[in-house]
Amino acid sequence: MNFELDAIVIEDRCRSSALAARVIEKVPPHVPVSYVADGREAALPQTGARDPFGAGKRRMVVLNRRSPFLMACPSGSAEFACCGYLVLTLASNCPMDCSYCFLQEYLAGNPGFQVYANYADALDELERLAKRAPGRHLRVGTGELADSLAFDRITGMSRDLVEFFAARDGLTLELKTKTAEIDNLLKVDPKSHTIVAWTLSPDAVFRNSEHRTASPSARIKSARRVLEAGYRAGFHLDPIIAYAGAGRDYGELLDELFDFVPPERIAFFSMGTMRMTPGLRTAARERFSSDPMLLGEEVLSPDGRLRAFAPIRIALYREIVGRIKASAPKVPMYLCMEQPGVYRRVLGAEPPSAAALGDLLARG
Ligand code: SF4
């Protein structure tokens, strides 16, 4: 584990929760633990911190979530092809620090690393949703506002989740991560109802931009191990960054992946090139002024995000798709947050409906 905590703050009403007990038991003795009446206040930016967002990542706040846990993926929109992903928010923020991460803008107002002690309520929400959608197969992920497995050795949440999904035929869990934190996963039988999905980047992106994450090789080796333990494994090539030499580097990354992971065992590839709002780009460049990956030329897309010029994106996608198809012709691929025209030009077909793609990815 490449990350450490400065402090643990526990909301009074969660003192006797199973999560608080696990955190207190596992946290290293030098990390101070304190208690507050309202955990939301501990998640606010700390005054006087030079980098309030970075400081928030190192302060774990155990609290009860007040809002619903389950929502449609916030990336979904009528203008993009959509994968029908449902988001279960069990934590907010992440101890790793990728220079391009959208959380720098999205969570600037409450950057504390929040973990929700009442996550049993999330499972009740899911149960109710599944009852309302008989016959549908839903893919539900916890890796939108947090990395699904960061600090899992402290929180132990993955075991409860995997066991919950293992007992339900219509639900598939996706744990999305850039860690190698798989020890808890190896202790439970997922009954093929959990996909562990690694975000993969070439070494150049990892070294410049993905601070405190596991190396791409370590992620790939972890994928092999969870496959052997009965999990499904998926891969997100996202963000794909269009730097000089990117096509070669993504090709080498995929060569390494296919050397370790049998292509026919892969659940899916998702792809998306780097996209940033102007506000995010400003924040990212301020926090990571020497990262060359943040300096590419971009154009403003109709959705208000900056992306590489469409012909450059399409050429890079095609190179990557060609490499995947050469080794894994039957593995589903989809693009994230791209317009249908780009989707057609890259994958040669109309984007499927969100329900159809969601069902395909969930069932495997
Ligand atoms: S691992 Fe994911 S959530 Fe964590 S900082 Fe990187 S991009 Fe953000």
Side-chain angles (χ1 to χ4, degrees):
M1 191 160 69
N2 303 326
F3 28 86
E4 291 184 351
L5 291 168
D6 290 338
I8 305 278
V9 181
I10 297 176
E11 193 168 61
D12 276 332
R13 70 180 83 183
C14 307
R15 268 180 193 258
S16 54
S17 65
L19 179 63
R22 266 181 253 150
V23 168
I24 290 168
E25 185 196 337
K26 294 275 172 59
V27 75
H30 67 272
V31 178
V33 179
S34 59
Y35 296 87
V36 295
D38 188 338
R40 294 172 298 182
E41 288 173 13
L44 296 173
Q46 301 290 288
T47 46
R50 193 179 53 80
D51 171 19
F53 182 76
K57 288 172 169 286
R58 299 168 65 91
R59 191 174 62 258
M60 179 186 276
V61 185
V62 178
L63 75 170
N64 273 1
R65 183 169 173 86
R66 276 72 165 177
S67 338
F69 288 87
L70 197 57
M71 60 180 175
C73 175
S75 303
S77 129
E79 62 192 309
F80 300 131
C82 172
C83 70
Y85 185 60
L86 290 170
V87 173
L88 200 63
T89 302
L90 303 182
S92 173
N93 213 345
C94 167
M96 294 169 277
D97 207 0
C98 301
S99 63
Y100 51 72
C101 180
F102 83 104
L103 299 179
Q104 294 172 101
E105 183 183 39
Y106 196 78
L107 297 179
N110 56 340
F113 176 34
Q114 303 172 64
V115 192
Y116 301 117
N118 56 337
Y119 66 92
D121 296 348
L123 304 182
D124 291 343
E125 270 181 45
L126 257 179
E127 197 96 79
R128 288 196 295 275
L129 178 72
K131 283 198 181 121
R132 287 202 307 272
R136 278 195 66 189
H137 208 121
L138 304 171
R139 169 169 152 258
V140 183
T142 58
E144 185 65 20
L145 297 189
D147 182 285
S148 297
L149 295 175
F151 278 130
D152 195 58
R153 71 184 62 184
I154 292 179
T155 68
M157 284 159 93
S158 70
R159 290 183 64 162
D160 294 341
L161 288 172
V162 171
E163 284 175 345
F164 175 88
F165 279 79
R168 281 153 187 89
D169 283 336
L171 294 175
T172 295
L173 171 66
E174 180 176 328
L175 298 170
K176 186 155 73 167
T177 190
K178 286 192 186 118
T179 72
E181 293 252 337
I182 57 170
D183 290 356
N184 282 330
L185 298 182
L186 301 181
K187 294 174 189 154
V188 277
D189 178 2
K191 304 202 186 307
S192 297
H193 292 185
T194 294
I195 303 170
V196 192
W198 272 270
T199 302
L200 287 183
S201 304
D203 263 317
V205 176
F206 162 65
R207 280 186 280 100
N208 284 299
S209 312
E210 297 181 345
H211 308 285
R212 303 200 287 271
T213 63
S215 69
S217 297
R219 298 177 213 172
I220 289 171
K221 288 185 180 124
S222 298
R224 169 78 189 229
R225 290 184 65 205
V226 300
L227 271 175
E228 287 166 352
Y231 288 83
R232 297 163 64 201
F235 296 96
H236 297 278
L237 301 174
D238 194 345
I240 293 170
I241 303 181
Y243 59 93
R248 176 204 60 215
D249 289 358
Y250 280 94
E252 288 175 4
L253 174 73
L254 290 165
D255 288 345
E256 184 180 353
L257 173 64
F258 294 136
D259 280 349
F260 274 94
V261 175
E264 65 280 2
R265 301 281 312 275
I266 295 174
F268 63 79
F269 283 98
S270 86
M271 288 164 279
T273 51
M274 187 142 85
R275 58 241 179 229
M276 290 185 159
T277 62
L280 171 58
R281 189 170 73 172
T282 301
R285 286 180 173 177
E286 271 174 22
R287 293 190 69 237
F288 298 97
S289 55
S290 59
D291 184 348
M293 296 298 165
L294 299 176
L295 299 178
E297 276 187 30
E298 290 149 338
V299 291
L300 199 58
S301 304
D303 68 343
R305 291 180 178 85
L306 296 152
R307 290 176 170 81
F309 192 40
I312 294 174
R313 304 206 305 278
I314 290 168
L316 186 52
Y317 277 135
R318 282 179 169 163
E319 207 172 338
I320 293 169
V321 167
R323 178 64 194 88
I324 293 173
K325 280 189 173 161
S327 293
K330 296 197 173 138
V331 174
M333 288 184 263
Y334 66 94
L335 303 187
C336 184
M337 294 186 79
E338 282 289 5
Q339 290 177 329
V342 174
Y343 199 105
R344 279 192 291 273
R345 290 172 69 189
V346 171
L347 293 174
E350 288 297 320
S353 71
L357 182 56
D359 199 71
L360 172 78
L361 296 172
R363 286 177 200 274

